[in-house]
Amino acid sequence: MKKIELLAPAGDLEKLKIAVDYGADAVYFGGEMFGLRSGAKNFTVEEIQEGVSYAHDRGKKVHMTVNIFAHNEDITELEQYLHRIKEISIDAFIVSDPGVMMAIRAVMPEAEIHLSTQANMTNYRTAEFWGKQGVKRIVLARELTFGEIKELREKLPEDMELESFIQGAMCISYSGRCLLSNFMIERDANRGECAHPCRWKYHLVEEQRPGEYFPVEEDERGTYILNSRDLCMIEHIPDLIQSGLASLKIEGRMKSIFYVATVVGAYRRAIDAYYADPEGYVFNPDWLNELKKVSHREFTTGFYYNQPTNKDQNYQTSAYTRDYTFVGLVKSYDHETGMAVVEQRNKMRLGDEIEVFGPFTDYFAQKIEILLDEENQPIEAAPHPQQIVKIRMKQPVAEKYMLRKQK
């Protein structure tokens, strides 16, 4: 049985390295232009080279998003950009626009092409069309059920791979093809600038009564009529693996390293547990609890089992649940003294109860009983961003372990 790929988001170079170290089989990222996440830091050409080398040295793959819907003024600049990166050994390009696909083929004839979810691929005839254009993998539209995915797998050539999202934000529009942001504030979602107006608060206003706001539901706060819950499929690993998918994709190139580490780590443990004993596999609730410790909305299984209903929307709020705060990243550890050098990411104090976790490990809890500054002087708190401190650890840790505390 070929093991399914766990594909993680990388909004910048630090996140790419964290995703690889915490167990991703592959990562996807965007360059400084032509991806659909202009709000992420994204990668310079030099960072692309470094990130690809870092992943390849560890046996992991790197996919690059070039999935905007290009306008005429984009084409020349796109072709120039492709020439700048053509010597970098990127494993695949994620593309939605046929013109962009042609441009990549012209510059890099042997490049592997993956069809972006933005292309709305929902049936095997369309998949056959894209296969004839040389597409190696289809990133499925989020609107497909398990039944439809299995039928696709049965009807398509074995060498055409299927990839699907399993975790992260859901779009109210069809596979992300949304014009709402463009219409309301002239930021084009299909060129990487979505303002997420689907998360805004809405009231009903009658034309002859300006200023009178009628709640769409019986709630004085208004209603978030377009606000979907977040996708979460960690409780359904056997169904995902048995569906014929080749890759399981986590959404979130604009999320933090804390988010990437936590989500990748939870899915890594769940997937590995299944392959270790498919017949005796039992879901561990701790994996879901881990996902609830990062910023998230309430969860849904999206379209996998049925058409979503009003239970898959959240009409009360678009706010995230944030029960835990990421407070520190371990830079080094001294086994003799048990002291860890930690880069502060949010304020922590002497006496705080924290949880500590790392790649391929369960977390452990402890109190901060010894807190020192860089000169080994005792301090009461670490309030400054990226302040370097030293903390006595109850158990051994290593570089890139993370500290969190409950709010």
Side-chain angles (χ1 to χ4, degrees):
M1 184 188 301
K2 184 179 179 181
K3 199 168 186 179
I4 204 163
E5 177 184 84
L6 180 61
L7 178 58
D12 58 31
L13 186 58
E14 181 184 34
K15 293 170 190 175
L16 181 150
K17 293 178 178 180
I18 288 291
V20 168
D21 292 341
Y22 273 76
D25 299 304
V27 295
Y28 65 100
F29 72 95
E32 293 173 291
M33 56 190 77
F34 309 118
L36 283 182
R37 289 294 181 271
S38 62
K41 290 183 180 178
N42 294 318
F43 287 64
T44 65
V45 173
E46 293 73 24
E47 287 171 335
I48 294 172
Q49 181 64 72
E50 182 178 345
V52 169
S53 297
Y54 189 89
H56 286 178
D57 288 347
R58 290 155 181 80
K60 312 300 182 181
K61 292 188 175 182
V62 179
H63 306 165
M64 182 174 181
T65 62
V66 193
N67 59 343
I68 67 162
F69 286 93
H71 289 239
N72 289 337
E73 65 263 27
D74 297 318
I75 299 300
T76 298
E77 192 172 11
L78 168 66
E79 291 170 345
Q80 293 171 347
Y81 183 74
L82 292 173
H83 280 285
R84 291 177 62 200
I85 64 171
K86 69 178 182 178
E87 300 302 326
I88 303 175
S89 53
I90 297 164
D91 294 289
F93 292 88
I94 305 171
V95 185
S96 52
D97 186 318
V100 173
M101 193 177 298
M102 290 176 64
I104 293 173
R105 285 275 185 243
V107 177
M108 293 171 274
E110 302 303 316
E112 182 170 311
I113 301 294
H114 295 178
L115 187 73
S116 171
T117 190
Q118 294 294 115
N120 313 141
M121 211 302 300
T122 57
N123 66 81
Y124 62 86
R125 283 295 190 199
T126 304
E128 289 172 355
F129 167 82
W130 286 115
K132 291 178 181 179
Q133 313 312 310
V135 170
K136 169 70 173 178
R137 178 184 291 183
I138 303 287
V139 186
L140 299 175
R142 286 175 171 86
E143 293 76 24
L144 294 183
T145 66
F146 272 127
E148 291 174 301
I149 293 171
K150 288 180 179 178
E151 185 176 3
L152 276 169
R153 182 65 280 160
E154 291 167 359
K155 292 182 180 293
L156 294 176
E158 288 186 11
D159 61 352
M160 175 169 275
E161 298 178 346
L162 302 178
E163 175 182 307
S164 191
F165 282 93
I166 58 166
Q167 182 75 31
M170 292 285 283
C171 186
I172 193 65
S173 187
Y174 200 86
S175 289
R177 294 288 294 272
C178 184
L179 297 176
L180 193 59
S181 179
N182 204 341
F183 173 76
M184 298 185 81
I185 60 170
E186 298 181 353
R187 284 175 52 179
D188 192 343
N190 297 309
R191 300 176 81 184
E193 299 178 347
C194 184
H196 306 288
C198 56
R199 309 296 183 187
W200 298 351
K201 183 187 292 187
Y202 292 89
H203 287 73
L204 182 67
V205 179
E206 198 276 322
E207 182 179 15
Q208 300 301 319
R209 295 176 174 82
E212 291 188 43
Y213 302 101
F214 301 95
V216 180
E217 291 190 322
E218 293 182 13
D219 187 333
E220 70 279 2
R221 294 172 298 181
T223 184
Y224 298 83
I225 56 177
L226 304 176
N227 183 48
S228 173
R229 296 185 179 198
D230 281 358
L231 180 64
C232 179
M233 290 295 291
I234 200 165
E235 295 179 88
H236 308 282
I237 295 299
D239 288 346
L240 288 167
I241 292 174
Q242 294 164 17
S243 68
L245 292 169
S247 181
L248 306 181
K249 189 170 193 173
I250 298 166
E251 184 272 341
R253 277 193 284 144
M254 295 178 67
K255 301 288 190 179
S256 67
I257 61 168
F258 174 53
Y259 178 93
V260 171
T262 303
V263 176
V264 169
Y267 275 98
R268 179 77 277 155
R269 291 193 286 277
I271 291 168
D272 289 351
Y274 176 84
Y275 281 103
D277 185 8
E279 297 298 323
Y281 173 83
V282 176
F283 174 72
N284 185 340
D286 289 344
W287 301 329
L288 178 60
N289 290 335
E290 280 293 290
L291 299 183
K292 292 179 179 179
K293 292 179 180 179
V294 297
S295 177
H296 68 282
R297 301 181 183 92
E298 294 181 68
F299 292 138
T300 173
T301 55
F303 290 79
Y304 279 106
Y305 292 100
N306 48 45
Q307 293 293 316
T309 68
N310 59 359
K311 294 181 180 179
D312 297 282
Q313 298 290 110
N314 186 340
Y315 298 114
Q316 282 71 50
T317 178
S318 64
Y320 286 95
T321 298
R322 294 183 174 93
D323 292 333
Y324 281 76
T325 301
F326 172 37
V327 295
L329 177 68
V330 174
K331 308 299 286 185
S332 64
Y333 176 71
D334 188 325
H335 285 269
E336 291 186 7
T337 64
M339 297 295 290
V341 175
V342 177
E343 182 182 84
Q344 184 260 44
R345 291 300 177 101
N346 279 288
K347 186 176 181 179
M348 54 180 144
R349 300 184 61 85
L350 193 67
D352 280 349
E353 295 284 350
I354 61 171
E355 294 179 358
V356 184
F357 69 98
F360 301 93
T361 66
D362 294 325
Y363 75 88
F364 65 88
Q366 70 164 70
K367 181 181 289 188
I368 299 179
E369 296 179 337
I370 297 179
L371 183 63
L372 309 176
D373 63 16
E374 287 188 87
E375 285 72 41
N376 295 315
Q377 296 302 307
I379 54 176
E380 292 293 320
H384 306 300
Q386 297 186 298
Q387 180 178 353
I388 300 299
V389 298
K390 297 178 181 178
I391 299 174
R392 171 73 57 79
M393 289 294 173
K394 186 173 74 172
Q395 297 181 23
V397 296
E399 183 183 4
K400 296 182 182 174
Y401 272 56
M402 296 189 186
L403 286 58
R404 66 192 177 206
K405 68 176 181 178
Q406 192 167 12
K407 290 186 177 180

